[in-house]
Amino acid sequence: MLIVNLDSARGALVQEGRELLAAMEEALLAIETEGYTEERVNAIFRAAHTIKGSAGLFGLESLVNFTHVAESLLDRVRTGELFVEGAMLSLLLTCGDYIGSLLSAVEIGTEAQEPDEALRAWLLTQLQEYLDGTASDTAQEVAPFDEPYARVDVLQGEPVSSDLWHLSWRLSPEVLRNGMDPLSFLRYLGKLGRIVYLHTITDRLPALGDFEAEACYLGFELEFESNASRQEIESVFEFVLEDCLLRILPPHSQIEEYLRLIRELPESPQRLGEILLQSGALTPNELDQVLTRQHAEPQPAPPLGTLLLESQLVPQPVVAAALSKQKQVEDKRNHEQVFIKVEVGKLDQLINLVGELVIAGAATNLHALRRDMDMVEEAAQAMSVLVESIRDASLSLRMVAIGEVFQRFPRVVRDISKELGKDIQLLVTGADTELDKSMVERLADPLMHIVRNAMDHGIETAEERLASGKVASGSLRLNAYHESGSIVIEVSDDGRGLDRQRILDKALQRGLVQPDQSLSDAEVYRLIFEPGFSTAEQVTNLSGRGVGMDVVRRNIELLRGEVEVLSEFGRGATVRIRLPLTLAIIDGFQVMVGDEHFVLPLEQVIECVDLPPQEGRHHLINLRGEPLPFLRLRELFNIGGRASGRESLVVLQHGNSRAGVVVDQLVGEFQAVIKPLGMLFQKSRGLSGSTILGDGRVALILDVANLLQRASALSVGTPVRVSAGGA
Amino acid sequence: MAKTILIVDDSSSFRQVVGIALKTAGYSVVEACDGKDALGKLDGRKINLIVSDVNMPVMDGITFVKAAKQLPAYRFTPVIMLTTEAGESKKSEGKAAGVRAWVVKPFQPPVLLDAVSKLILP
Amino acid sequence: MAVIVQREEDASHCLGITGELNIYSAATVLQELLQALEAHRQLEIGLAGVDDFDTAGVQLLLMLKREAARQDKPLTFVQHSAAVREVLDLLNLVAELGDPMVIPLEDGECLS
């Protein structure tokens, strides 16, 4: 029994299956919008085919059986027996969804339970209807694991005394060229029992002039001791059955069968008689009987060509031992992907860099041994450059294109627009923008919600659109791009836009704002992210279920990101999500206040300027004609003492807003490995994490978005001039 | 020295499982993700057996086997082709290319191991 | 790849085959061995270095043996490698192709 730990491979199966389903869906949608091509149908077929193949390895019968039927249908499409039309596309899309749910069950170890019996039955019926409509025989759910053999031999007459199997085997000249070595099959036969006697027949070796070294001329007569069934023995030879003559006589076969055997074999009865006698297959007496009958019933020798075995036997795959049952209760709390697909190029680059690092390390050691400090410094320099490159390269392994998230939306938009009775076009741009893999997974749900919301509430019906002078079909755009160390993802629609008044009314009604409060548009729009806020008058199937944009905001904030809405009434709205590129390491800019170290994300640092001591007592300065709010870290974190020399102003940007922070000292650039703050500090003002400095001290990483908000809140009073230039 | 098997299949999870099974049984394994990739692996190294899927992107299994049989060092290498019940027409094409051993997908690892050990023992 | 090394020893011409004796090398090896047989009155072929031996290899040895008998020249195979012995045991051909100086044991193992 083969014992293999396949747990890790199950994860790979699930991931790969999902990718294949995505490719299948993409191809189905492409057929729907752009028409049938062979390539697309092949892609769909291959997806079903590959999933079935891999699932089979794990003995996932439910998955195998279902994909088999879908595959059969797709095969008919591929061969042109069936034509793809709208209903079939919808059916196949739903099949893809169902297969996805089976994969999910595999992922969490509940594949023994049927996720949706009714759906499965319905889909199978639908698929079968298509299959029944074609001329070929109907595809049944395949049961590949336990098909019994059908053949039973009925024996009558006089049995011989030998209790061994007798095998006669003659090979066609071609077997060796086809890569089949008779020796291998004989060795394998040894697994089923014991070869008691074997006679190699060399009679067919030709004269030297006719001999081809690559042709096979041998034959074998075997006496075989085994408890195996005839089918099991026969299955040993399944790959050469077409290229050989094989006769298998069970123990105690009838004299008649030996007679038939001798007639069918190419050698003379006398020669075969000798071998059978020598091998113990027949006693002298039995051989006599055979030969007597042979003479009594003269038969023309059959021509050699007909001697090849009639292929009346269908070899079946040997029953596979079931793999040990997976543990039913697996840890269900965390199904984040264990595997990540990495572009080979990225990996190669990393490996190269590590190789260089190894060499540089050796060089450093050498120089250190020689006490050559100049060279050591140089080598250390080279190493730190390499370490930085390796950091970048390994981080890039985690980066994937956001297209991985976007790719599911064509289907979503198609389905939702059908459901809503709206005609909505989807435009996807920036799909190759990369972001951290862990974010991709956690971004999917919030994005889905935003998209649904836009389609449901944002985009109007065709009539409304026409009435307001727009084209009948609405459009939805998914866009992504990089901007100052962040990735920005936008969902835009050309619908009715946000209704400021309605949001305000609702907010008043819910007590979220006071009647006398004056709010900017942005502040009003931000209200839709408040818990429990939903303005939809009609609760539809799609959105407006109470859980709303507040969940979206929470999810995005968990990723250290932020979300905002831009809107133009009557023209459309854009939801903009801004996320950090990665969650693990940042390029930091280190500053000091008193003895405390702080790190600012370098990408958000615009410039540094000297702040003259007498300036900046207020929270707003004039920087080259622009008012800039700022705050002092010393005040924010209650750090005692005074700045000894000149203070510096670090200008920060986040999104569209800018502000400055005042610090005592600028230290320089620094790579910071982010360590999360403990529970105690999670709500802390303006902090996003901590990091360990080269000398072992702790530095706090500042949350720029939060600092900016604070700075603008503080900025009251008149701007004062900053006379200094850049630092 | 362990016998070496070249596995050609576009599914990486498939290759992984089959690879584990074969290695556990004592074979060495070389993997390729399609026919073209597989031809690249036929670079003079000793390959005792090829296990190839039929349906693959870039270069399908039949085309690959035909090409492999043109390479002097691999012209007699045994091939196990993985097929589907639906693939009868492919089968005759494969036969013409010299393929004799077929294993019907889907299967569980012991089935393939069994087929492999009929052609070569580890 | 098969490599054939030749040397003279007493009256006998000795050959040693190293490497593959299989379908890939059978045709060329056979030609070389036939030439050697042609050129000498007596041949001793050492198989100690044969590490890959298949049906094509078996047939080659059988053909050589037959050809030597036809030319009435003594031909012996000696120093069979483990790979060769395994095949000859399996095919029950030790009597034809085995080392005449070695007495096969019960379990098929050879003294060498």
Side-chain angles (χ1 to χ4, degrees), chain A residues 460-489:
Chain A
E460 316 89 329
T461 60
E463 299 80 53
E464 285 175 87
R465 291 180 65 89
L466 289 171
S468 56
K470 295 181 179 177
V471 289
S473 78
S475 77
L476 187 75
R477 178 161 177 242
L478 290 175
N479 185 29
Y481 55 91
H482 285 151
E483 191 186 79
S484 58
S486 306
I487 177 169
V488 178
I489 301 148

Side-chain angles (χ1 to χ4, degrees), chain A residues 176-177 181-183 186-187 195 197-200 202 205-208 211-218 220, chain C residues 23-24 26-27 30 34 53-56 58-60 62-63 66-67 70 83 86-87 90-93 96:
Chain A
L176 302 183
R177 289 193 182 102
D181 190 343
L183 296 172
L186 291 174
R187 290 184 187 117
I195 298 173
Y197 185 86
L198 183 145
H199 185 95
T200 301
T202 58
L205 279 170
L208 197 55
F211 177 76
E212 292 173 39
E214 291 147 11
C216 184
Y217 301 99
L218 303 183
F220 305 94
Chain C
I23 185 164
Y24 288 101
L30 180 63
L34 284 174
F53 188 62
D54 66 1
T55 299
V58 173
Q59 294 186 149
L60 179 150
L62 287 168
M63 287 303 284
R66 239 176 49 175
E67 187 55 21
R70 199 187 59 79
E86 186 262 337
V87 172
L90 180 66
L91 297 190
N92 197 9
L93 289 173
E96 282 96 327

Side-chain angles (χ1 to χ4, degrees), chain A residues 531-543:
Chain A
F533 190 95
S534 172
T535 58
E537 278 150 8
Q538 261 184 322
V539 173
T540 69
N541 191 24
L542 296 168
S543 42

